[in-house]
Amino acid sequence: MVGIPSERVLGQPARTSRGALRKSGVWASFVLVVILPMALAASYLWVFAVDQYASTVAFSVRKEEYKSSLDLLGGIPLLSGSAVSDTDILYEFLKSQELTEKIDERIDLRALFAKNWPDDPVFAYNPAGTIEDLHRHLLRKIQIAYDNHTGLMTLRILAFDRDDARRIAQAVFDECSRMINDLSAVARKDATRYAKEELDAAVTRLKDVRQSLTTFRLTNQMVDPTTDLQGQMGVLNSLQAQLAESLIDLDMLPTGLRPDDTRVVQGQRRIDVIRDRIASERAKFGEDGGVPGGEDYASLIARYERLSADLLFSEEGYRTAQAAYDLALADGRRQSRYLAAHIRPTLAEKAQYPERLKLLAIVGFFLTIFWSAGALIYFSIRDRR
């Protein structure tokens, strides 16, 4: 019974020594993984990292809401439209390599970003890099804030010199404005071309219908079948009146006259002639009615009304197409889309970047997370042994 406590007393210093070693190892790993890298990062940020200036520019794509007299009177629909917002296109353009190439050609972007190379290799650009490297570096220097609901876009551009920052911001704005103008020019060109095609088609339709109507008139030898029909109805009504008058005159002859009496024969002869003429005039309204071309009036008028309706539709289509073409030409003479800057490129007075404390805090946070995960894995493996 006396030996058991003595063994525990003798083993206690060994366990205490191993625990102290583990604690010292944990702290050593913390210093090695967290403290030392943070010290290196802090020394770089405060010793080697060069101050950077920010220039801010904010803008939106505007479109003229113009209504001409053609719109108000004729109800001509808008000629242009897009399922994709112009601002969405502009947002993608800001992230494109094409923008980087154009700005580099304009203001030598490589030289501006490589001013502090190799003194500041993290934030400066390596002038020996490719256009892809320059594009990635520019994306690091441009911060884009885009509001989908309002269409407002705000850019913050960083550079080692405040004048350079504003030059880059102005170049970005100018290239975006040029791109929007090009989109507007293409839209106007397409709208004008489509309107011209519609106008040409409308003119062709109108010419064809008018030619068909002229051929109809020449074939049937009449300008307007409805007018001719009204004339025929007038002749028929006149014959009906003459027939009624002749019958009355025959009835008015004295009673008892012989059938071969000259007055009776002449009256009857007049009545028969008028009846024959009425029958002849009525036959013109049936099949093979005797009109030029041997076509009956019903078919003739139906064909004429169809040609007249085609002519009316073609004339209306021509007027609409002509108005749309005039509107497209008028729209082509003005700038329908433009880039409106509500904040012009600013000129900084103080270098606010790099945000050293913020960057150091981010580095420390991730290093701590990495160290904590490693420590948990280590103790989990140790406890399983």
Side-chain angles (χ1 to χ4, degrees), residues 52-318:
Q52 299 180 55
Y53 296 83
S55 179
T56 302
V57 58
F59 48 80
S60 62
V61 180
R62 308 299 297 172
K63 185 175 180 180
E64 293 181 1
E65 297 295 338
Y66 174 77
K67 292 217 178 266
S68 68
S69 58
L70 295 175
D71 293 324
L72 299 176
L73 297 177
I76 305 300
L78 293 177
L79 298 175
S80 62
S82 176
V84 181
S85 170
D86 294 330
T87 312
D88 293 334
I89 298 175
L90 183 60
Y91 180 74
E92 293 299 324
F93 177 72
L94 283 169
K95 298 188 297 181
S96 68
Q97 183 174 312
E98 179 185 359
L99 177 64
T100 305
E101 294 173 353
K102 292 183 179 299
I103 297 177
D104 186 39
E105 292 174 359
R106 178 175 174 178
I107 60 175
D108 194 4
L109 201 58
R110 296 172 184 266
L112 297 183
F113 286 154
K115 281 185 174 181
N116 295 283
W117 178 269
D119 297 334
D120 185 4
V122 174
F123 297 101
Y125 171 71
N126 184 358
T130 62
I131 185 62
E132 289 80 10
D133 297 329
L134 181 62
H135 175 59
R136 286 190 292 268
H137 190 82
L138 179 61
L139 292 181
R140 290 172 52 194
K141 298 294 185 180
I142 296 182
Q143 299 178 10
I144 306 173
Y146 173 38
D147 190 338
N148 290 321
H149 300 288
T150 62
L152 300 179
M153 190 172 294
T154 303
L155 306 181
R156 184 171 58 193
I157 295 92
L158 303 180
F160 296 113
D161 183 84
R162 63 176 188 169
D163 293 324
D164 292 342
R166 185 162 68 172
R167 285 177 60 196
I168 298 173
Q170 186 63 51
V172 170
F173 175 79
D174 293 342
E175 290 300 327
C176 291
S177 180
R178 180 199 56 78
M179 191 273 293
I180 290 298
N181 292 338
D182 290 344
L183 285 179
S184 183
V186 170
R188 292 195 300 267
K189 184 179 179 180
D190 289 342
T192 303
R193 178 167 58 86
Y194 294 148
K196 186 63 169 62
E197 292 175 357
E198 289 295 328
L199 179 60
D200 293 340
V203 170
T204 302
R205 287 195 301 268
L206 182 59
K207 288 181 178 179
D208 293 342
V209 172
R210 285 181 174 175
Q211 182 62 41
S212 300
L213 190 58
T214 300
T215 302
F216 171 86
R217 288 168 175 167
L218 292 175
T219 302
N220 296 282
Q221 299 179 7
M222 60 181 66
V223 177
D224 188 351
T226 56
T227 303
D228 187 83
L229 179 62
Q230 291 176 359
Q232 293 293 334
M233 292 300 297
V235 172
L236 187 60
N237 292 333
S238 177
L239 290 174
Q240 292 282 5
Q242 292 179 27
L243 177 60
E245 183 180 354
S246 297
L247 289 173
I248 292 173
D249 290 340
L250 183 61
D251 292 339
M252 293 296 295
L253 292 176
T255 306
L257 293 178
R258 291 182 300 176
D260 58 351
D261 188 273
T262 303
R263 289 174 292 176
V264 175
V265 172
Q266 291 180 350
Q268 190 62 46
R269 175 63 180 167
R270 178 180 175 82
I271 291 172
D272 293 339
V273 170
I274 293 175
R275 284 175 175 172
D276 292 340
R277 177 52 56 189
I278 290 175
S280 177
E281 293 296 329
R282 285 179 175 175
K284 293 181 180 181
F285 297 99
E287 295 183 358
D288 300 328
V291 297
E295 192 174 7
D296 61 276
Y297 266 104
S299 301
L300 197 68
I301 292 176
R303 193 151 60 92
Y304 176 77
E305 289 178 346
R306 185 171 62 253
L307 289 173
S308 298
D310 291 342
L311 179 62
L312 180 62
F313 177 78
S314 299
E315 289 176 343
E316 185 64 28
Y318 168 75

Side-chain angles (χ1 to χ4, degrees), residues 2-35:
V2 177
I4 295 176
S6 63
E7 291 179 358
R8 290 180 180 178
V9 171
L10 291 174
Q12 187 68 27
R15 288 194 294 269
T16 304
S17 176
R18 286 195 297 269
L21 289 174
R22 284 196 295 271
K23 289 182 179 180
S24 61
V26 169
W27 283 110
S29 64
F30 182 78
V31 171
L32 183 63
V33 176
V34 179
I35 301 300

Side-chain angles (χ1 to χ4, degrees), residues 171 351 378:
Y378 169 75

